[in-house]
């Protein structure tokens, strides 16, 4: 039976990021769609999934090609989302673009989460076929649950009527951390909680200083597991995601799946699948973020959570797995479906 090798080298380094979550999703997507996976080379391995641009992943891709196996390279990173991240990232961005273009070119096919990230990768001059396919979300696990709301509020000591605004991501400028702190200062009546962690050695000095001088209504719990994160999505009153650049945003899908009112920065990656005032609210500047968040907290804006949940369901792990299987067949990684037998004519 054909197997897909999900290469896990470097997973420890990216395990707490969206890339790490995407790797875990791929295993589950394929399991649910009936495609066998393996965590090592076997005789049945027909293709390898490569998810990072670390040197060991390049070696894995080269080794697969030497052995006559197909390489499915995931384009999680772009030059655009590398900028404004870690120390020196802006200076290194042009070199990073060259490196990831080389890495992705090792794939027989490149998969990337959205049409937006697909357009970016194609603009780099990639000659391999590029497909847009969501990272997916487990809508069975991430789902509205009043008990999780109660647990979240107890965990963070939220009093009756006290409002909570949450965000998730690396503590970096690209994710909108400075703007999140400014939003918290403008709405002192609410509690603001940022989930996520970044190695302090990689954080620019200005971001470290901003976190140190955060307003009193801001909490940084650091990295939490998916169970506690689900509590936050179910228990908070608003999910605000002020990121300046994304290739999709798995945390956005998780939040929508849990039915939390969501406010996002109006950036191109959401065009075509997340629509302002239909399933989420989009803000273009700090004042609009303040207006939409306060409008939700005060109950003055329409509830869009059912429509948001529908978006998440359209990108469920089952649907993503089925689409992956289709791509494998299109790229001759898996054999095509057998042709339907012609129907016998009835004798009259």
């Amino acid at each position: 039976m054909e197997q897909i090798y999900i290469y896990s080298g470097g997973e420890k380094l990216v395990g707490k990021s969206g890339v790490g979550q995407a790797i875990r999703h791929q295993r589950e997507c394929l399991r649910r769609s009936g495609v066998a996976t393996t965590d090592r080379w076997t005789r049945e391995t027909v293709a390898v999934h490569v998810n990072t641009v670390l040197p060991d992943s390049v070696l894995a891709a080269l080794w697969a090609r030497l052995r006559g196996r197909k390489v499915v390279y995931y384009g999680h990173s772009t030059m655009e989302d590398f900028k404004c991240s870690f120390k020196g990232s802006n200076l290194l961005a042009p070199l990073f673009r060259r490196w990831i273009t080389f890495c992705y070119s090792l794939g027989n096919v490149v998969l990337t989460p959205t049409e937006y990230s697909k357009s970016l990768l194609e603009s780099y001059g990639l000659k391999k076929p590029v497909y847009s396919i969501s990272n997916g979300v487990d809508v069975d696990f991430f789902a509205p649950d009043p008990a999780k709301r109660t647990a979240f509020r107890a965990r963070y000591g939220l009093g009756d009527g006290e409002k909570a605004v949450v965000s998730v991501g690396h503590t970096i400028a690209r994710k909108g951390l400075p703007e999140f702190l400014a939003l918290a200062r403008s709405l002192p009546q609410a509690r603001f909680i940022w989930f996520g962690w970044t190695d302090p050695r990689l954080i620019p000095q200005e971001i470290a200083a901003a976190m140190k001088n955060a307003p009193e209504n801001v909490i940084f719990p650091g990295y939490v597991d998916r169970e506690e994160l689900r509590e936050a999505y179910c228990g908070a009153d608003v999910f605000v995601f002020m990121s300046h650049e994304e290739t999709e945003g798995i945390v956005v899908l998780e939040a929508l799946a849990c039915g939390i009112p969501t406010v996002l920065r109006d950036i191109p990656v959401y065009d075509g699948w997340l629509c302002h005032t239909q399933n989420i609210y989009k803000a273009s500047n700090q004042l609009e973020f303040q207006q939409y968040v306060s409008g939700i907290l005060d109950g003055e804006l329409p509830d869009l959570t059912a429509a948001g949940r529908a978006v998440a369901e359209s990108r469920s792990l089952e649907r993503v797995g089925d689409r992956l299987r289709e791509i494998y067949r299109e790229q001759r990684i898996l054999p095509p479906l057998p042709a339907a037998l012609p129907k016998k004519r009835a004798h009259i």
Side-chain angles (χ1 to χ4, degrees):
M1 181 180 183
E2 297 90 352
Q3 294 179 335
I4 305 299
Y5 175 23
I6 309 294
Y7 179 68
S8 59
E11 191 171 356
K12 289 184 178 179
L13 292 175
V14 300
K16 295 181 179 180
S17 70
V19 176
Q21 184 75 307
I23 295 172
R24 293 186 287 273
H25 281 187
Q26 287 161 34
R27 294 190 183 101
E28 184 61 17
C29 283
L30 293 175
R31 186 191 69 79
R32 296 188 187 191
S33 64
V35 177
T37 64
T38 178
D39 58 0
R40 60 185 177 86
W41 290 109
T42 69
R43 291 182 179 179
E44 292 76 27
T45 298
V46 293
V48 58
H49 274 205
V50 182
N51 280 275
T52 76
V53 293
L54 300 171
D56 66 286
S57 293
V58 171
L59 293 175
L62 290 170
W63 179 242
R65 293 177 70 94
L66 285 172
R67 298 183 70 175
R69 306 304 206 277
K70 295 288 185 73
V71 177
V72 179
Y73 221 121
Y74 267 82
H76 295 295
S77 300
T78 65
M79 178 187 71
E80 287 74 10
D81 75 2
F82 181 72
K83 292 179 178 178
C84 299
S85 53
F86 310 109
K87 288 180 180 178
S89 59
N90 287 1
L91 183 64
L92 294 172
L95 291 175
F96 184 73
R97 170 174 165 164
R98 290 185 183 182
W99 172 249
I100 62 175
T101 302
F102 164 71
C103 293
Y104 298 156
S105 68
L106 297 175
N108 297 93
V109 59
V110 180
L111 306 184
T112 192
T114 55
E115 287 295 320
Y116 169 70
S117 57
K118 178 177 183 287
S119 68
L120 289 179
L121 297 185
E122 289 177 335
S123 74
Y124 298 169
L126 274 175
K127 304 302 182 183
K128 302 299 174 68
V130 182
Y131 289 82
S132 65
I133 178 170
S134 173
N135 287 309
V137 60
D138 188 343
V139 295
D140 297 323
F141 182 85
F142 291 102
D145 187 336
K148 298 293 186 294
R149 176 176 174 83
T150 301
F152 168 77
R153 297 185 67 82
R155 183 187 297 272
Y156 289 96
L158 294 166
D160 293 341
E162 189 174 5
K163 303 294 185 179
V165 179
V166 299
S167 194
V168 182
H170 279 293
T171 48
I172 55 177
R174 176 175 65 83
K175 293 292 186 179
L177 179 59
E179 294 91 338
F180 182 82
L181 297 177
L183 183 63
R185 288 191 178 92
S186 69
L187 297 170
Q189 71 276 21
R191 188 91 65 90
F192 282 72
I193 307 174
W194 182 290
F195 295 95
W197 179 87
T198 301
D199 189 327
R201 294 170 295 182
L202 301 177
I203 298 176
Q205 185 175 357
E206 60 271 21
I207 296 299
M211 293 176 66
K212 183 178 180 180
N213 298 310
E216 293 183 358
N217 61 329
V218 175
I219 304 171
F220 292 102
Y223 177 81
V224 298
D225 60 30
R226 68 198 298 255
E227 286 79 11
E228 189 171 337
L229 197 55
R230 176 177 57 178
E231 283 184 6
Y233 293 137
C234 291
D237 300 284
V238 182
F239 174 74
V240 61
F241 197 55
M242 306 178 82
S243 178
H244 293 267
E245 185 70 26
E246 293 291 320
T247 53
E248 182 179 37
I250 291 178
V251 296
V252 173
L253 292 176
E254 292 171 348
L256 293 175
C258 286
I260 180 174
T262 297
V263 184
L264 308 174
R265 187 177 299 279
D266 190 1
I267 53 178
V269 69
Y270 305 128
D271 290 350
W273 60 288
L274 290 174
C275 303
H276 178 55
T277 70
Q278 293 183 28
N279 39 46
I280 48 88
Y281 290 98
K282 291 183 180 180
S284 299
N285 53 55
Q286 198 70 22
L287 179 59
E288 289 184 358
F289 270 111
Q290 181 181 342
Q291 290 174 338
Y292 291 132
V293 171
S294 61
I296 293 170
L297 294 177
D298 295 338
E300 297 173 352
L301 292 178
D303 182 358
L304 309 178
T305 54
R309 168 75 184 180
V311 170
E313 289 173 342
S314 73
R315 297 182 175 222
S316 68
L317 297 184
E318 288 83 1
R319 293 195 182 188
V320 173
D322 289 344
R323 179 58 182 144
L324 263 178
R325 191 174 51 197
E326 290 176 4
I327 293 172
Y328 292 157
R329 288 180 175 137
E330 290 174 20
Q331 293 297 314
R332 299 183 178 179
I333 294 171
L334 293 179
L337 289 171
L341 295 174
K343 294 182 179 179
K344 293 182 179 180
R345 293 185 178 181
H347 293 289
I348 301 175

